[in-house]
Amino acid sequence: MSSLFLSPSPKNPRPVRRATALAALAGLAVLLIPAGSSAQNPSRFFETLPDSAPLRETARLRLKNYGWRLNLQAGRMARIYDAQPKDRARLEGILNSDRNPAYERWAALQKLAGFLRTAGEYEAAAALYKKHKAVFNDPLLDRAAMSLARMMENREGEIRILSGGEGLNSPSYEYLPIPELSGDRIYFTARNRDGRKNGEDIWLARRKTPPKNGAAPVYDSAPIAELNTRENEGPDAVSPDGTTLFMFGNYSGSRGQGDIFFSRLSKNGWESVKPLPAPINSPYFESDAFLTADGRAMLFASDRPGGYYPYQAKNLFYGGDWWGNTDLYISFINKDGTYSKPRNLGSLINTPGSERTPYLHPDGKTLYFASSGFAENSFGDMDVYKSVRLDDTWQNWSEPINVGTVVNGSDTDWGFRLTARADEGYFSGVQQNNQGGDDIYRVTPLPKNAQPAGQVAAIRGRILDQNGEPLQAELEWQDRITGEYLGTIQSRPDTGEFFIALPPGRSYAYYAKKDGYLSSSRNIDVPADGTEYVEESASFELIQVSAAQSSGTEITLSNINFATGSAKLTKDSVGELDRLLDLLKRNPILRIEIRGHTDNTGSRATNVSLSQKRAQSVFDYLVEQKIDKNRLRAKGFGPDKPIASNDTADGRRENRRVTFVVLGADE
């Protein structure tokens, strides 16, 4: 049974067919197939492409540059892709004969240079590109050869390619690593590994010890029995909260030539596998799902028609390989959980070749993806590239750049992933220290050209109930200044753990909530000019409303603020006030006492008066929003109930707060 994931070749057979002359002519003549122009192209599966002259011009130029890859022979290309060092003489013969198509000669050059790189001879590989750049008699390839040579000559020496970790790899095949944002767990595909159900299975590696002082991390690895079948399957992505796994496999319910499936984590393990609905899945091929770190959008690859280039189905030989013309799309997740029509990421990202395995860094801007369509800027059949999103259209991007020789070799490179940290990446392949077939590797620090555009701040912790038991609850965050809602995740149902990554340049409020419980909030400022990864710990205890009525527990409203010495609520308090309002609306019999507190600066009488006025301001806001005033009380305590020392600025800041308690029936 053939692999779902390994690159197509005679060793991993897939249906192949030569590109016809008609297809080649269409590829040169047709610059754009508008959405809905074909009966095979129902508009329900994608947004109409924007009428953008720059994007159309980019598509025209990319299609023109792709012409040298048409009318190739599948068998001849397969023999180049599968060549080994012992085949050097044959490859040199292909390279040096001007009777061979230019792309065959280029692929042979890539392969020969790759042999030298694998042996650590980067200078010799660079010299090989320089020596043969003129044989193509093409200015584009002349520049490309010099660019690739420079990348090999200017490698960053301090970068280390390390084994993914003890317990992760084996003498079998491990590939397509999917690390959680925290790095605590890595999902991956294992082929023919002991403990399998069949050839390709989904495995999970739990990190026991992190990397420290140069030592590799240690993992416990095991197959996920409830997700594996007698067929082949592998993970595409894990949601940022670790509670949903997306996968590609031979599960029931498929609607097309390849579909994306998912499973949710419960306290008892992974639930039954289901296909994603339309318009994510379609009658065509879909794979490589990736949920953005804010939980609000999904990126994926599809070979559905209607993009910027002529339609070519996956698994049919075209352009020198079998990848087809898969493009990258984004679909936004609506409030009701449905998906918007997918939007093509545009002709700056997508090419006449194939784009796969999108990964958007938590900074929300830096996209990593694999492509076979930038052959003139590629070390192999498919390389990993990086591009930065320039606006919210998801169509305008910086020119993709090759992430370099650390990740990209002379074969197929894809599935490059990062954690929330900007200095650590994971990929799979064959390096000098591999244990068997493909292994999973960790690269640190990342080359400069592979690093994301911005550093993020991360918050990890747990959500527990009043008895200290793990609780699955929602964790949301918003901009404290504008009130804009920015993202949501859930804590893990088995441990209550959560991990969120926040892009730079905002002041955030984040809060945990669950029906039947009192919500709790925190805040954090993430500067725009941060140069280092920051990780903080912040756990939540959510108290059931019924328990709060009898316990008298005081809940701090962390994101309510006032002007200095004033009882006037600031604009950034609205989000916290509205969450309190929502709690009261969802619990119509709930009665609360709003409490104001100050530090000890100034006279006690002044502080008591100020704290009473501040509590009353919150009272008045709720009444204005139609909450019955008989359900509310306001009381000021001034400096009488400190929770921190008043001897420091931080302590005084903590003591200046507004809280509430749930009142009992007889209060």
Side-chain angles (χ1 to χ4, degrees), residues 127-143:
L128 191 68
Y129 273 108
K130 291 179 178 180
K131 176 182 177 181
H132 291 282
K133 65 183 179 68
V135 304
F136 300 98
N137 194 28
D138 185 324
L140 178 67
L141 295 182
D142 190 307
R143 292 193 299 271

Side-chain angles (χ1 to χ4, degrees), residues 95-110:
L95 173 60
N96 292 318
S97 174
D98 57 10
R99 292 176 297 178
N100 294 321
Y103 188 71
E104 282 189 16
R105 301 172 73 190
W106 182 257
L109 175 58
Q110 290 175 319

Side-chain angles (χ1 to χ4, degrees), residues 494-516:
D494 52 346
T495 64
E497 294 173 81
F498 70 85
F499 186 95
I500 60 175
L502 304 173
R506 289 183 187 262
S507 178
Y508 294 91
Y510 61 100
Y511 43 94
K513 66 177 186 176
K514 185 177 179 68
D515 285 346

Side-chain angles (χ1 to χ4, degrees), residues 40-42 256-259 282-286 302-305 311:
Q40 286 186 310
N41 195 13
Q257 302 301 311
D259 280 348
S282 76
Y284 302 96
F285 170 85
E286 283 81 37
S302 175
D303 73 349
R304 63 190 67 189
Y311 174 68

Side-chain angles (χ1 to χ4, degrees), residues 38-60:
S38 166
Q40 286 186 310
N41 195 13
S43 62
R44 68 181 182 275
F45 292 125
F46 46 80
E47 284 186 354
T48 301
L49 298 176
D51 186 14
S52 167
L55 292 177
R56 290 172 183 267
E57 177 62 13
T58 298
R60 187 190 71 80

Side-chain angles (χ1 to χ4, degrees), residues 551-623:
S551 68
T553 303
E554 196 166 356
I555 307 297
T556 299
L557 299 168
S558 299
N559 293 293
I560 288 183
N561 299 293
F562 303 89
T564 302
S566 166
K568 183 178 180 180
L569 290 159
T570 57
K571 183 180 179 181
D572 59 3
S573 302
V574 173
E576 188 79 272
L577 290 167
D578 286 347
R579 285 190 289 277
L580 180 58
L581 176 66
D582 181 63
L583 173 70
L584 293 167
K585 287 182 175 180
R586 286 187 289 107
N587 297 274
I589 64 171
L590 200 67
R591 297 172 59 247
I592 65 171
E593 179 176 272
I594 305 157
R595 297 179 172 181
H597 303 271
T598 66
D599 59 29
N600 66 353
T601 304
S603 72
R604 180 181 182 280
T606 299
N607 283 324
V608 170
S609 174
L610 178 61
S611 64
Q612 178 66 43
K613 292 176 181 178
R614 287 179 169 179
Q616 188 66 39
S617 292
V618 175
F619 180 106
D620 293 343
Y621 180 89
L622 295 173
V623 171

